[in-house]
Each structure stands twice: as C-alpha cells, then as structure tokens.
Amino acid sequence: MTVDPSDDTPASSILDSVAVDVASPSAAFLAPWFARRPSVDLSSAEARRIALAAQGFRVPRPTTVVPDRRHMRRVIDRVGLIQIDSVNVLARSHYLPFFARLGPYPARLLDALAYDHRELFEYWGHEASFIPMGLQPLFRWRMARAADGEAWGGLASIARELPEYVERIYAEVRDRGPLGASALAEPGARAGAWWGWADGKRALEWLFWTGRVTTAGRRNFERLYDLTERVIPASVLALPTPPEDEAHRALLRIAARSLGVATAGDLADYFRIRGPLARPRIAELVEDGALVPVRVAGWSHPAFLDPSARLPRRVDARALLSPFDSLVWERSRTDRLFGFHLRLELYTPAPKRVHGYYVLPFLLGDRLAARVDLKADRKAGRLLALGAFTEAHAAPSAVAAPLAGSLREMADWLGLESVVVGERGDLVDALRMELPAALSADASPTAP
C-alpha cells in the first residue's frame, strides 16, 4: 500500500463549504437538528476514501523494519477493536487485519499484547473481540446488564436455573484458575443447542459476560478463564465506572473515528449498542459538535462525519481482507461503500455456495476489486486459491498481478511454500499466468 499521507484533506476543510439543507425524514430523532444546522454533501467516492483512511489504509506499510508492537498498537488504536473468530482454514481472523494493514508481521505479537503485556482484554465488543485495556470501564454497563439477565438466552437461563452450580464453577476458577472448560471437575451435561456446549462451558461464558471472570490466555484456542481481578490490571479496575449514557457516548465516538463517515446504524453496530440506546446519544454528540451530519450520494439514510476524519485525494491500497475485518464486517455498509455484496458461506452447504467456504475480499486502490476463496494446506505447504472472482467494475487483467503479489506475500507469511490456483471463477486463468512458479502440475485443490 502506498499513499501520500500529506495528500489528503482534513474534515475541517470539508466543512468549509457546507450548504444548508434538511436531512432525510427517516432520521426523525435528528430532524430538529438538521432543520437549523448546515449539512454536508459527500460523493460516494469521497465517503469511501474517508472510510478507508479512518480504517488505517492511507498509512504506508512499514518497508524498512519488521512490524513490532508499536505498529500493532497503531492499528488497534485506529480500528478500536479486533473481532476474534475460531475458523482456522486459512488463519484465525483476528490475525488478518494486522496483515492487511502492515503486511507480514510476527503473528505472535497479538497474543503477547493480550496475554503477556495485558494491553488488550477479551470481551463482547463487536462479537468476541480484543479490546484495548483502557476501555474496560466502558463495557461495565454491558456486564451489569448481563448480570441482570440481559445475556443471550442460553447463558442467562443457566444462571436462573442452576445458580448454585454456577457458583461452584466460579469457586473452581477461583481455586484452580486459569483453566479451560475441558478441565472442570464438574463439566455438566452437554446440550444440543449453543454449539453443543456443556453446562460448565455455559456457566463460564455467563460469568465471562458478567465480568466476574475473564480470559487469562488460550491453549489451542481454548479460552482459559480466571478471576477478573487476577487478569485486568489493578490500575484499570480502580478507574471509575462511567454512567451508561457516558459509556455509550464514548463508544460511539470511537466508532465514529474508526468509521470516518457512518449512518446511525453503522455507529451503533460497531460496538453492538442497540438502536434505542444509541440514537439519543448520537443526537447528543451532534449537538456537541462531536458528529457532523452529512448526506452521502446513494445512501438512503443520513450519515455522520467524524470531525477529525481525513479525506485522501487517493488511496492506493492492496490488501486481502478477513470477512470479519472492521472495514467490511457490517454487510449493508460494505454494500453502500463499495457496491460489494459480502455473504458468509461458511455454514452454507457446499453445493449451494456461490464463491466458496472462506472468501476474502481483495482491496485494490479504493475499491473491492475481487474475492478469493482461500485455504492453507499446511501439510503440503500450499496456499490454495480455490476460486477467484472479479467484481463487475474490475478487469481480470488489471487485478491478477496485484492479487498474485498479495497471495505470494500471504503464503510467505503463513510459512507455505507455494500458491496453487483452482478452477473456479473468471479470474483464475489470469491469476495462474501471474503465478507460474507457484503452480504444481498435479495440484488438485479441494474445498474444506
């Protein structure tokens, strides 16, 4: 990725040329504000570049040094949190956002930041997430609501139905932690729902949601639970707990900074704050000048600009994106920004899949130009591109060479010796021509 960081426009300049207008009536909760304040018009291309800059894609990758913890911190500060996912057909998703923004980096650094240096903690942010440790007080409202029964039904029910059992599980963590669910002395009965979780795992997850226990580390991806006060630094636990409305405002401001320009729904979704809770806080942020109402061409809902956002004149990115990357994790936003319909097909029966099992969007310039179904064949040392498909606006001849470079880069990062291209998609022939040295004559990649 090569971007001239000086070749962009601060939001303050964007706001210099505003035109008074009234926003769409679909945002009724903001109608009075829009009626008396100026609004800004952005083109869809401008909104896209603002969003890419906000997500860290205008910053050049390090080229003379191996990325280290300082680079990792900058990415986390920019995106706000990293979604955790267990699927390991390529690499676990939480390692991929750093690769997309930094290029090859030592993946162990993420685990070290979280579990050795305690700079990150695990909690329900946007799904299960790594979150900067300093933000822990902003999630205590969610822990309190969970303790009052506002957790997923399968978790809240175990606290209601088996409270003494839950307390025994807590006592075991206190006496033996950190430990995983597989090590419980009394694991309980396995249920059909909740991924087949046994009662012990459900109890641990409820205790995790309420903040009584947290993740001390992982072993083969199994979460190891310990008492929160033994994991979260005392200096963080001593911080005051903000009122819920203040916590929501703070989280929405982080979301706005990480998104650049966003609808109310985008802002609320970033940290999974329910709409009725988020909308009054968004209105307050607008009134305080912390959000600027804007209209984006082609968007059916009003949007909001972070006052610190940057508008690059161009973005020359090249990145393979996890389907759980914060740039694309909200599907309707991805469609609005890029005209790209991203569908997760992991749980779709193989005959019904359109593009494949684990499909990564390919960011080229400021557009999502292609998608590629990837699998790491670790035993054979091969990165399998099972299918590759261009978007309607992109030509295979223009996409193949940069995508081939990204695939070689990913193979090297994963310690794989070659890249093998499959047979599905309009891009595979052009891609295969760019990867002659990586092909195996008897290669027959198969989907998981």
PDB file of all heavy atoms in Angstrom, residues 33 37 249 252-254 256-257 260 267 281-293 304-309:
ATOM      1  N   TRP A  33     -32.527  19.015  14.641  1.00  0.00           N
ATOM      2  CA  TRP A  33     -31.152  19.488  14.495  1.00  0.00           C
ATOM      3  C   TRP A  33     -30.857  19.824  13.041  1.00  0.00           C
ATOM      4  O   TRP A  33     -30.305  20.864  12.714  1.00  0.00           O
ATOM      5  CB  TRP A  33     -30.182  18.432  15.008  1.00  0.00           C
ATOM      6  CG  TRP A  33     -28.816  18.994  15.268  1.00  0.00           C
ATOM      7  CD1 TRP A  33     -28.325  19.451  16.447  1.00  0.00           C
ATOM      8  CD2 TRP A  33     -27.773  19.185  14.306  1.00  0.00           C
ATOM      9  NE1 TRP A  33     -27.048  19.913  16.272  1.00  0.00           N
ATOM     10  CE2 TRP A  33     -26.678  19.760  14.975  1.00  0.00           C
ATOM     11  CE3 TRP A  33     -27.650  18.936  12.951  1.00  0.00           C
ATOM     12  CZ2 TRP A  33     -25.498  20.069  14.348  1.00  0.00           C
ATOM     13  CZ3 TRP A  33     -26.462  19.258  12.304  1.00  0.00           C
ATOM     14  CH2 TRP A  33     -25.400  19.813  13.004  1.00  0.00           C
ATOM     15  N   ARG A  37     -29.294  23.426  11.325  1.00  0.00           N
ATOM     16  CA  ARG A  37     -27.845  23.373  11.192  1.00  0.00           C
ATOM     17  C   ARG A  37     -27.445  23.029   9.762  1.00  0.00           C
ATOM     18  O   ARG A  37     -28.203  22.393   9.035  1.00  0.00           O
ATOM     19  CB  ARG A  37     -27.263  22.308  12.142  1.00  0.00           C
ATOM     20  CG  ARG A  37     -27.443  22.622  13.633  1.00  0.00           C
ATOM     21  CD  ARG A  37     -26.602  23.808  14.081  1.00  0.00           C
ATOM     22  NE  ARG A  37     -26.753  24.060  15.506  1.00  0.00           N
ATOM     23  CZ  ARG A  37     -25.929  23.586  16.434  1.00  0.00           C
ATOM     24  NH1 ARG A  37     -24.915  22.838  16.082  1.00  0.00           N
ATOM     25  NH2 ARG A  37     -26.124  23.858  17.701  1.00  0.00           N
ATOM     26  N   ARG A 249     -21.771   7.159  24.793  1.00  0.00           N
ATOM     27  CA  ARG A 249     -21.239   8.280  24.016  1.00  0.00           C
ATOM     28  C   ARG A 249     -19.773   8.051  23.668  1.00  0.00           C
ATOM     29  O   ARG A 249     -19.337   8.307  22.543  1.00  0.00           O
ATOM     30  CB  ARG A 249     -21.415   9.597  24.779  1.00  0.00           C
ATOM     31  CG  ARG A 249     -22.789  10.232  24.633  1.00  0.00           C
ATOM     32  CD  ARG A 249     -22.787  11.664  25.113  1.00  0.00           C
ATOM     33  NE  ARG A 249     -22.541  11.750  26.545  1.00  0.00           N
ATOM     34  CZ  ARG A 249     -23.489  11.718  27.478  1.00  0.00           C
ATOM     35  NH1 ARG A 249     -24.757  11.602  27.121  1.00  0.00           N
ATOM     36  NH2 ARG A 249     -23.188  11.796  28.752  1.00  0.00           N
ATOM     37  N   LEU A 252     -19.485   5.365  20.978  1.00  0.00           N
ATOM     38  CA  LEU A 252     -19.950   5.867  19.685  1.00  0.00           C
ATOM     39  C   LEU A 252     -18.935   6.829  19.068  1.00  0.00           C
ATOM     40  O   LEU A 252     -18.770   6.873  17.843  1.00  0.00           O
ATOM     41  CB  LEU A 252     -21.309   6.542  19.841  1.00  0.00           C
ATOM     42  CG  LEU A 252     -22.476   5.576  20.124  1.00  0.00           C
ATOM     43  CD1 LEU A 252     -23.695   6.343  20.613  1.00  0.00           C
ATOM     44  CD2 LEU A 252     -22.818   4.762  18.879  1.00  0.00           C
ATOM     45  N   ARG A 253     -18.232   7.592  19.892  1.00  0.00           N
ATOM     46  CA  ARG A 253     -17.187   8.475  19.366  1.00  0.00           C
ATOM     47  C   ARG A 253     -16.019   7.667  18.819  1.00  0.00           C
ATOM     48  O   ARG A 253     -15.434   8.020  17.793  1.00  0.00           O
ATOM     49  CB  ARG A 253     -16.700   9.438  20.455  1.00  0.00           C
ATOM     50  CG  ARG A 253     -17.707  10.498  20.832  1.00  0.00           C
ATOM     51  CD  ARG A 253     -17.085  11.635  21.606  1.00  0.00           C
ATOM     52  NE  ARG A 253     -16.184  12.409  20.751  1.00  0.00           N
ATOM     53  CZ  ARG A 253     -15.588  13.536  21.122  1.00  0.00           C
ATOM     54  NH1 ARG A 253     -15.805  14.026  22.347  1.00  0.00           N
ATOM     55  NH2 ARG A 253     -14.785  14.189  20.307  1.00  0.00           N
ATOM     56  N   ILE A 254     -15.673   6.573  19.509  1.00  0.00           N
ATOM     57  CA  ILE A 254     -14.614   5.696  18.995  1.00  0.00           C
ATOM     58  C   ILE A 254     -15.055   5.090  17.670  1.00  0.00           C
ATOM     59  O   ILE A 254     -14.290   5.031  16.709  1.00  0.00           O
ATOM     60  CB  ILE A 254     -14.281   4.596  20.026  1.00  0.00           C
ATOM     61  CG1 ILE A 254     -13.661   5.219  21.284  1.00  0.00           C
ATOM     62  CG2 ILE A 254     -13.340   3.562  19.419  1.00  0.00           C
ATOM     63  CD1 ILE A 254     -13.548   4.261  22.452  1.00  0.00           C
ATOM     64  N   ALA A 256     -17.154   6.358  15.540  1.00  0.00           N
ATOM     65  CA  ALA A 256     -17.133   7.409  14.516  1.00  0.00           C
ATOM     66  C   ALA A 256     -15.719   7.654  14.018  1.00  0.00           C
ATOM     67  O   ALA A 256     -15.489   7.807  12.810  1.00  0.00           O
ATOM     68  CB  ALA A 256     -17.722   8.697  15.086  1.00  0.00           C
ATOM     69  N   ARG A 257     -14.770   7.681  14.903  1.00  0.00           N
ATOM     70  CA  ARG A 257     -13.373   7.891  14.492  1.00  0.00           C
ATOM     71  C   ARG A 257     -12.887   6.735  13.621  1.00  0.00           C
ATOM     72  O   ARG A 257     -12.155   6.936  12.649  1.00  0.00           O
ATOM     73  CB  ARG A 257     -12.486   8.010  15.734  1.00  0.00           C
ATOM     74  CG  ARG A 257     -11.027   8.346  15.431  1.00  0.00           C
ATOM     75  CD  ARG A 257     -10.168   8.152  16.660  1.00  0.00           C
ATOM     76  NE  ARG A 257     -10.141   6.737  17.046  1.00  0.00           N
ATOM     77  CZ  ARG A 257      -9.710   6.294  18.215  1.00  0.00           C
ATOM     78  NH1 ARG A 257      -9.301   7.139  19.138  1.00  0.00           N
ATOM     79  NH2 ARG A 257      -9.704   4.998  18.482  1.00  0.00           N
ATOM     80  N   GLY A 260     -15.059   6.937  10.191  1.00  0.00           N
ATOM     81  CA  GLY A 260     -14.877   8.145   9.396  1.00  0.00           C
ATOM     82  C   GLY A 260     -16.184   8.800   9.053  1.00  0.00           C
ATOM     83  O   GLY A 260     -16.464   9.932   9.453  1.00  0.00           O
ATOM     84  N   LEU A 267     -22.813   3.239  13.335  1.00  0.00           N
ATOM     85  CA  LEU A 267     -22.206   3.642  14.596  1.00  0.00           C
ATOM     86  C   LEU A 267     -22.639   2.716  15.727  1.00  0.00           C
ATOM     87  O   LEU A 267     -21.819   2.271  16.538  1.00  0.00           O
ATOM     88  CB  LEU A 267     -22.584   5.087  14.926  1.00  0.00           C
ATOM     89  CG  LEU A 267     -22.018   6.165  13.993  1.00  0.00           C
ATOM     90  CD1 LEU A 267     -22.670   7.507  14.289  1.00  0.00           C
ATOM     91  CD2 LEU A 267     -20.502   6.271  14.133  1.00  0.00           C
ATOM     92  N   ARG A 281     -27.926   9.150  22.185  1.00  0.00           N
ATOM     93  CA  ARG A 281     -26.526   9.546  22.389  1.00  0.00           C
ATOM     94  C   ARG A 281     -25.949  10.154  21.116  1.00  0.00           C
ATOM     95  O   ARG A 281     -25.147  11.092  21.172  1.00  0.00           O
ATOM     96  CB  ARG A 281     -25.698   8.331  22.818  1.00  0.00           C
ATOM     97  CG  ARG A 281     -26.243   7.548  24.011  1.00  0.00           C
ATOM     98  CD  ARG A 281     -26.127   8.317  25.323  1.00  0.00           C
ATOM     99  NE  ARG A 281     -27.197   9.267  25.533  1.00  0.00           N
ATOM    100  CZ  ARG A 281     -28.411   8.959  26.011  1.00  0.00           C
ATOM    101  NH1 ARG A 281     -28.729   7.709  26.285  1.00  0.00           N
ATOM    102  NH2 ARG A 281     -29.310   9.914  26.220  1.00  0.00           N
ATOM    103  N   ILE A 282     -26.336   9.623  19.959  1.00  0.00           N
ATOM    104  CA  ILE A 282     -25.878  10.208  18.688  1.00  0.00           C
ATOM    105  C   ILE A 282     -26.386  11.634  18.561  1.00  0.00           C
ATOM    106  O   ILE A 282     -25.652  12.546  18.158  1.00  0.00           O
ATOM    107  CB  ILE A 282     -26.341   9.336  17.510  1.00  0.00           C
ATOM    108  CG1 ILE A 282     -25.606   7.988  17.534  1.00  0.00           C
ATOM    109  CG2 ILE A 282     -26.090  10.045  16.177  1.00  0.00           C
ATOM    110  CD1 ILE A 282     -26.132   6.973  16.529  1.00  0.00           C
ATOM    111  N   ALA A 283     -27.649  11.851  18.920  1.00  0.00           N
ATOM    112  CA  ALA A 283     -28.201  13.206  18.865  1.00  0.00           C
ATOM    113  C   ALA A 283     -27.424  14.150  19.777  1.00  0.00           C
ATOM    114  O   ALA A 283     -27.160  15.305  19.418  1.00  0.00           O
ATOM    115  CB  ALA A 283     -29.676  13.177  19.259  1.00  0.00           C
ATOM    116  N   GLU A 284     -27.017  13.658  20.953  1.00  0.00           N
ATOM    117  CA  GLU A 284     -26.239  14.495  21.872  1.00  0.00           C
ATOM    118  C   GLU A 284     -24.858  14.800  21.293  1.00  0.00           C
ATOM    119  O   GLU A 284     -24.358  15.929  21.429  1.00  0.00           O
ATOM    120  CB  GLU A 284     -26.108  13.780  23.216  1.00  0.00           C
ATOM    121  CG  GLU A 284     -27.422  13.671  23.977  1.00  0.00           C
ATOM    122  CD  GLU A 284     -27.377  12.659  25.113  1.00  0.00           C
ATOM    123  OE1 GLU A 284     -26.314  12.021  25.310  1.00  0.00           O
ATOM    124  OE2 GLU A 284     -28.409  12.495  25.783  1.00  0.00           O
ATOM    125  N   LEU A 285     -24.240  13.820  20.649  1.00  0.00           N
ATOM    126  CA  LEU A 285     -22.931  14.050  20.041  1.00  0.00           C
ATOM    127  C   LEU A 285     -23.023  15.060  18.903  1.00  0.00           C
ATOM    128  O   LEU A 285     -22.124  15.877  18.707  1.00  0.00           O
ATOM    129  CB  LEU A 285     -22.349  12.725  19.549  1.00  0.00           C
ATOM    130  CG  LEU A 285     -21.941  11.734  20.648  1.00  0.00           C
ATOM    131  CD1 LEU A 285     -21.571  10.384  20.044  1.00  0.00           C
ATOM    132  CD2 LEU A 285     -20.780  12.273  21.474  1.00  0.00           C
ATOM    133  N   VAL A 286     -24.114  15.009  18.155  1.00  0.00           N
ATOM    134  CA  VAL A 286     -24.328  16.014  17.102  1.00  0.00           C
ATOM    135  C   VAL A 286     -24.457  17.393  17.723  1.00  0.00           C
ATOM    136  O   VAL A 286     -23.845  18.370  17.267  1.00  0.00           O
ATOM    137  CB  VAL A 286     -25.574  15.649  16.275  1.00  0.00           C
ATOM    138  CG1 VAL A 286     -25.965  16.798  15.364  1.00  0.00           C
ATOM    139  CG2 VAL A 286     -25.312  14.396  15.446  1.00  0.00           C
ATOM    140  N   GLU A 287     -25.245  17.490  18.761  1.00  0.00           N
ATOM    141  CA  GLU A 287     -25.456  18.783  19.414  1.00  0.00           C
ATOM    142  C   GLU A 287     -24.158  19.343  19.969  1.00  0.00           C
ATOM    143  O   GLU A 287     -23.926  20.555  19.953  1.00  0.00           O
ATOM    144  CB  GLU A 287     -26.484  18.631  20.538  1.00  0.00           C
ATOM    145  CG  GLU A 287     -26.985  19.941  21.102  1.00  0.00           C
ATOM    146  CD  GLU A 287     -27.765  20.771  20.087  1.00  0.00           C
ATOM    147  OE1 GLU A 287     -28.481  20.187  19.261  1.00  0.00           O
ATOM    148  OE2 GLU A 287     -27.618  22.003  20.123  1.00  0.00           O
ATOM    149  N   ASP A 288     -23.280  18.456  20.439  1.00  0.00           N
ATOM    150  CA  ASP A 288     -21.992  18.883  20.998  1.00  0.00           C
ATOM    151  C   ASP A 288     -20.934  19.144  19.931  1.00  0.00           C
ATOM    152  O   ASP A 288     -19.819  19.562  20.263  1.00  0.00           O
ATOM    153  CB  ASP A 288     -21.462  17.808  21.959  1.00  0.00           C
ATOM    154  CG  ASP A 288     -22.307  17.693  23.219  1.00  0.00           C
ATOM    155  OD1 ASP A 288     -23.087  18.635  23.499  1.00  0.00           O
ATOM    156  OD2 ASP A 288     -22.211  16.659  23.902  1.00  0.00           O
ATOM    157  N   GLY A 289     -21.248  18.865  18.663  1.00  0.00           N
ATOM    158  CA  GLY A 289     -20.270  19.054  17.599  1.00  0.00           C
ATOM    159  C   GLY A 289     -19.301  17.908  17.446  1.00  0.00           C
ATOM    160  O   GLY A 289     -18.340  18.008  16.675  1.00  0.00           O
ATOM    161  N   ALA A 290     -19.534  16.807  18.163  1.00  0.00           N
ATOM    162  CA  ALA A 290     -18.646  15.646  18.062  1.00  0.00           C
ATOM    163  C   ALA A 290     -18.971  14.782  16.852  1.00  0.00           C
ATOM    164  O   ALA A 290     -18.182  13.894  16.494  1.00  0.00           O
ATOM    165  CB  ALA A 290     -18.722  14.808  19.335  1.00  0.00           C
ATOM    166  N   LEU A 291     -20.122  15.003  16.242  1.00  0.00           N
ATOM    167  CA  LEU A 291     -20.506  14.373  14.984  1.00  0.00           C
ATOM    168  C   LEU A 291     -21.103  15.449  14.085  1.00  0.00           C
ATOM    169  O   LEU A 291     -21.836  16.312  14.571  1.00  0.00           O
ATOM    170  CB  LEU A 291     -21.534  13.261  15.198  1.00  0.00           C
ATOM    171  CG  LEU A 291     -21.088  11.976  15.894  1.00  0.00           C
ATOM    172  CD1 LEU A 291     -22.291  11.059  16.111  1.00  0.00           C
ATOM    173  CD2 LEU A 291     -20.019  11.253  15.074  1.00  0.00           C
ATOM    174  N   VAL A 292     -20.806  15.368  12.802  1.00  0.00           N
ATOM    175  CA  VAL A 292     -21.321  16.344  11.846  1.00  0.00           C
ATOM    176  C   VAL A 292     -22.262  15.633  10.879  1.00  0.00           C
ATOM    177  O   VAL A 292     -21.838  14.705  10.175  1.00  0.00           O
ATOM    178  CB  VAL A 292     -20.182  17.010  11.062  1.00  0.00           C
ATOM    179  CG1 VAL A 292     -20.736  18.012  10.052  1.00  0.00           C
ATOM    180  CG2 VAL A 292     -19.207  17.697  12.025  1.00  0.00           C
ATOM    181  N   PRO A 293     -23.536  16.016  10.819  1.00  0.00           N
ATOM    182  CA  PRO A 293     -24.453  15.377   9.866  1.00  0.00           C
ATOM    183  C   PRO A 293     -24.013  15.646   8.425  1.00  0.00           C
ATOM    184  O   PRO A 293     -23.638  16.759   8.072  1.00  0.00           O
ATOM    185  CB  PRO A 293     -25.797  16.049  10.158  1.00  0.00           C
ATOM    186  CG  PRO A 293     -25.672  16.566  11.553  1.00  0.00           C
ATOM    187  CD  PRO A 293     -24.231  16.968  11.708  1.00  0.00           C
ATOM    188  N   PHE A 304     -23.073  10.608   9.345  1.00  0.00           N
ATOM    189  CA  PHE A 304     -22.395  11.471  10.302  1.00  0.00           C
ATOM    190  C   PHE A 304     -20.897  11.375  10.066  1.00  0.00           C
ATOM    191  O   PHE A 304     -20.343  10.288   9.892  1.00  0.00           O
ATOM    192  CB  PHE A 304     -22.743  11.063  11.737  1.00  0.00           C
ATOM    193  CG  PHE A 304     -24.217  11.044  11.987  1.00  0.00           C
ATOM    194  CD1 PHE A 304     -24.951   9.895  11.769  1.00  0.00           C
ATOM    195  CD2 PHE A 304     -24.879  12.197  12.372  1.00  0.00           C
ATOM    196  CE1 PHE A 304     -26.322   9.878  11.956  1.00  0.00           C
ATOM    197  CE2 PHE A 304     -26.254  12.195  12.558  1.00  0.00           C
ATOM    198  CZ  PHE A 304     -26.972  11.034  12.343  1.00  0.00           C
ATOM    199  N   LEU A 305     -20.254  12.515  10.064  1.00  0.00           N
ATOM    200  CA  LEU A 305     -18.825  12.618   9.808  1.00  0.00           C
ATOM    201  C   LEU A 305     -18.094  12.879  11.112  1.00  0.00           C
ATOM    202  O   LEU A 305     -18.487  13.745  11.900  1.00  0.00           O
ATOM    203  CB  LEU A 305     -18.562  13.756   8.819  1.00  0.00           C
ATOM    204  CG  LEU A 305     -17.111  14.037   8.425  1.00  0.00           C
ATOM    205  CD1 LEU A 305     -16.567  12.921   7.539  1.00  0.00           C
ATOM    206  CD2 LEU A 305     -17.018  15.386   7.703  1.00  0.00           C
ATOM    207  N   ASP A 306     -17.030  12.120  11.334  1.00  0.00           N
ATOM    208  CA  ASP A 306     -16.151  12.405  12.460  1.00  0.00           C
ATOM    209  C   ASP A 306     -15.369  13.682  12.152  1.00  0.00           C
ATOM    210  O   ASP A 306     -14.730  13.781  11.093  1.00  0.00           O
ATOM    211  CB  ASP A 306     -15.191  11.230  12.673  1.00  0.00           C
ATOM    212  CG  ASP A 306     -14.109  11.542  13.681  1.00  0.00           C
ATOM    213  OD1 ASP A 306     -14.404  12.231  14.673  1.00  0.00           O
ATOM    214  OD2 ASP A 306     -12.957  11.111  13.467  1.00  0.00           O
ATOM    215  N   PRO A 307     -15.397  14.698  13.033  1.00  0.00           N
ATOM    216  CA  PRO A 307     -14.707  15.962  12.734  1.00  0.00           C
ATOM    217  C   PRO A 307     -13.208  15.819  12.500  1.00  0.00           C
ATOM    218  O   PRO A 307     -12.600  16.677  11.861  1.00  0.00           O
ATOM    219  CB  PRO A 307     -14.993  16.821  13.971  1.00  0.00           C
ATOM    220  CG  PRO A 307     -16.239  16.255  14.549  1.00  0.00           C
ATOM    221  CD  PRO A 307     -16.167  14.779  14.284  1.00  0.00           C
ATOM    222  N   SER A 308     -12.607  14.740  12.989  1.00  0.00           N
ATOM    223  CA  SER A 308     -11.169  14.552  12.787  1.00  0.00           C
ATOM    224  C   SER A 308     -10.862  13.716  11.543  1.00  0.00           C
ATOM    225  O   SER A 308      -9.696  13.412  11.282  1.00  0.00           O
ATOM    226  CB  SER A 308     -10.544  13.877  14.013  1.00  0.00           C
ATOM    227  OG  SER A 308     -11.028  12.551  14.159  1.00  0.00           O
ATOM    228  N   ALA A 309     -11.888  13.336  10.786  1.00  0.00           N
ATOM    229  CA  ALA A 309     -11.680  12.465   9.630  1.00  0.00           C
ATOM    230  C   ALA A 309     -10.816  13.148   8.567  1.00  0.00           C
ATOM    231  O   ALA A 309     -10.776  14.378   8.473  1.00  0.00           O
ATOM    232  CB  ALA A 309     -13.027  12.063   9.030  1.00  0.00           C
TER     233      ALA A 309
END
